[in-house]
C-alpha cells in the first residue's frame, strides 16, 4: 500500500460542475498537507495548504480529517482552466532537515465545455 | 519576481556522456531539492540540501550527484546517463518550517540518445 493514495481518475466533468478529490495517507505522524496542481509537461504548483480546520480559497475548499487520515479537495463551478492533475502531498516529518514530502500519484481532471 | 530558475529547459545528451543541470533561486530559501519525474509518475526525490548539509535518498543511484556552491545555486550532475534516466528533472526550494510548501522551477526535460 502506498503511503499517500489518490484515485487516479480521470474525472471528466462539464463546466460548472462541482468535483471532489480524496486522498488518504498511512503515516499518522504526518505533519502538514498540501494540494498541488500540475499541468501537462509542466512543474507542480502549490494550490493550497490544508489546515485542520479546513480552508477555502475562492472556488477551492480543502478539508483534513486527522482521525481518518483523509484529505479532500472540492472544486466548485469548474472552469476549463481547472483541467490538470491534482497531487496530494503529505509532509511526514517536522520542520527543518526532517521534512519529507510524500507525493500521491495525482488525480487527473478534465473539464469539458 | 522571486523565483526558481532551471536551465536548460530541454537537454539532449548522449548515452554515457556526463551532463549537468542547473538551478538558481532568488527566494533565499535554505532548502533546495532535486526531483526526478517520469511520465504518469509522482515526483521522486533524489536528494536535498538543508543549507550546506547534503541529504541523499537511500535509493538514489550513485550516478547522480549534486553540488550547492552557495544559497542561490544548486547543480545536478549525472555522471553516465542511461536511457532510463530520461525524465523531467525538477528543482524546488522551501523554507524550513513544517508548513512551507515547495516552489518548483520549470524543470529540465532530459533526453538520452
Amino acid at each position: 500500500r502506498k503511503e499517500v493514495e489518490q484515485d487516479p481518475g480521470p474525472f471528466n466533468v462539464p463546466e460548472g460542475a462541482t468535483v471532489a478529490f480524496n486522498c488518504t495517507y498511512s503515516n499518522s505522524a504526518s505533519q502538514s498537507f498540501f494540494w498541488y496542481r500540475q499541468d501537462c509537461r509542466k512543474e507542480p504548483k502549490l494550490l493550497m495548504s490544508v489546515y485542520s480546520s479546513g480552508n477555502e480559497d475562492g472556488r477551492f475548499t480543502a478539508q483534513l480529517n486527522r482521525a481518518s487520515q483523509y484529505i479532500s479537495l472540492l472544486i466548485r463551478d469548474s472552469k476549463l482552466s481547472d483541467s490538470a492533475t491534482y497531487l496530494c502531498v503529505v509532509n511526514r516529518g517536522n520542520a527543518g532537515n526532517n521534512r519529507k514530502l510524500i507525493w500521491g500519484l495525482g488525480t487527473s481532471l478534465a473539464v469539458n465545455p | 519576481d522571486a523565483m526558481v530558475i532551471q536551465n536548460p529547459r530541454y537537454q539532449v545528451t548522449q548515452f554515457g556522456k556526463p551532463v549537468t543541470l542547473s538551478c538558481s533561486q532568488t527566494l533565499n530559501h535554505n532548502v533546495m531539492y532535486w526531483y526526478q519525474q517520469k511520465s504518469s509518475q509522482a515526483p521522486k526525490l533524489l536528494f536535498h540540501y538543508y543549507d550546506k548539509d547534503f541529504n541523499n535518498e537511500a535509493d538514489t543511484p550513485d550516478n547522480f550527484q549534486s553540488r550547492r556552491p552557495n544559497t542561490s545555486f544548486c547543480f545536478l550532475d549525472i555522471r553516465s546517463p542511461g536511457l532510463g534516466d530520461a525524465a523531467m528533472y525538477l528543482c524546488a526550494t522551501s523554507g524550513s518550517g513544517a508548513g512551507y510548501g515547495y516552489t518548483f522551477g520549470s524543470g529540465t526535460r532530459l533526453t538520452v540518445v
Side-chain angles (χ1 to χ4, degrees):
Chain A
R1 184 187 171 201
K2 293 189 184 302
E3 191 167 341
V4 177
E5 295 213 57
Q6 295 181 248
D7 182 343
F11 283 58
N12 285 283
V13 302
E15 267 186 294
T18 295
V19 61
F21 303 139
N22 302 320
C23 171
T24 57
Y25 61 96
S26 60
N27 191 324
S28 60
S30 299
Q31 297 285 321
S32 47
F33 310 88
F34 309 91
W35 282 103
Y36 277 75
R37 171 199 169 123
Q38 187 169 26
D39 292 284
C40 188
R41 300 177 75 83
K42 297 284 183 68
E43 76 277 18
K45 291 187 177 177
L46 180 63
L47 181 65
M48 56 199 304
S49 301
V50 187
Y51 304 117
S52 295
S53 54
N55 48 300
E56 188 174 306
D57 182 3
R59 298 181 293 108
F60 299 84
T61 301
Q63 298 277 354
L64 167 64
N65 184 323
R66 283 188 186 269
S68 301
Q69 296 179 200
Y70 169 94
I71 306 156
S72 66
L73 176 67
L74 184 76
I75 305 176
R76 290 182 301 277
D77 188 24
S78 300
K79 312 290 184 193
L80 295 176
S81 57
D82 294 333
S83 299
T85 297
Y86 291 82
L87 296 151
C88 175
V89 185
V90 172
N91 176 21
R92 185 206 290 160
N94 50 25
N97 210 14
N98 293 321
R99 294 190 75 202
K100 175 87 172 185
L101 288 195
I102 309 299
W103 295 73
L105 289 177
T107 298
S108 176
L109 172 66
V111 181
N112 305 305
Chain B
D1 287 342
M3 57 178 63
V4 180
I5 300 167
Q6 289 188 247
N7 284 303
R9 286 295 301 272
Y10 301 93
Q11 175 75 57
V12 180
T13 191
Q14 289 180 326
F15 183 95
K17 184 175 180 182
V19 65
T20 295
L21 311 181
S22 73
C23 177
S24 64
Q25 56 135 338
T26 59
L27 296 158
N28 206 33
H29 282 162
N30 57 334
V31 195
M32 294 187 77
Y33 307 82
W34 279 105
Y35 280 87
Q36 178 194 65
Q37 188 176 27
K38 297 186 177 181
S39 181
S40 302
Q41 295 183 18
K44 178 182 181 299
L45 182 64
L46 296 174
F47 24 59
H48 77 276
Y49 275 93
Y50 184 88
D51 293 323
K52 294 182 180 179
D53 293 337
F54 176 71
N55 299 269
N56 201 32
E57 292 299 299
D59 58 353
T60 298
D62 292 340
N63 196 26
F64 292 87
Q65 304 284 322
S66 185
R67 296 170 282 136
R68 189 180 186 185
N70 53 51
T71 301
S72 301
F73 285 88
C74 197
F75 299 96
L76 170 62
D77 300 309
I78 308 177
R79 293 193 297 188
S80 181
L83 297 178
D85 297 327
M88 172 81 95
Y89 289 88
L90 294 158
C91 173
T93 73
S94 79
S96 55
Y100 274 97
Y102 288 5
T103 302
F104 281 87
S106 302
T108 294
R109 186 164 294 279
L110 179 70
T111 300
V112 182
V113 298

